[in-house]
Amino acid sequence: MQDGVTNVGSRSFANCQNLREVVLSNSVDYIGSHAFYGCTNLETVTFPASAKFGDYVFKNCNKLKNLNSVDAAGKILVAGKNINENEYNRW
């Protein structure tokens, strides 16, 4: 996502079956509820550590395995956090 974008709106990418990886710019400070709901092929998401999340952002993203959090300088803080079904359905 381009620099300057601050918000990923609710359901912005819901049911986008072709998404496999998402890299959000450091300017994103909020990811709305259900933003990536039902992106069944999504495997990896990289997002700024300061971002806040709405409810069920990754619900039904059955292949999601890696969440990477980066700081403002681009340093990876949490790399490839392996998550399981119970975790991604809470996000």
Side-chain angles (χ1 to χ4, degrees), residues 5-86:
V5 174
T6 59
N7 186 325
V8 177
S10 296
R11 296 189 179 270
S12 291
F13 297 95
N15 298 308
C16 288
Q17 311 265 322
N18 292 327
L19 278 181
R20 295 193 189 289
E21 180 177 9
V22 172
V23 178
L24 300 175
S25 70
N26 281 333
S27 60
V28 172
D29 58 15
Y30 183 74
I31 303 165
S33 65
H34 298 87
F36 297 98
Y37 175 90
C39 295
T40 56
N41 290 305
L42 184 61
E43 296 177 356
T44 301
V45 178
T46 301
F47 59 92
S50 59
K52 306 263 188 283
F53 289 81
D55 294 328
Y56 305 109
V57 171
F58 301 113
K59 184 152 179 85
N60 294 333
C61 294
N62 302 335
K63 292 185 179 178
L64 185 60
K65 293 189 177 19
N66 297 303
L67 293 175
N68 301 317
S69 175
V70 296
D71 67 11
K75 179 181 175 187
I76 295 177
L77 303 176
V78 177
K81 180 186 183 303
N82 291 321
I83 61 175
N84 62 40
E85 182 176 345
N86 292 329

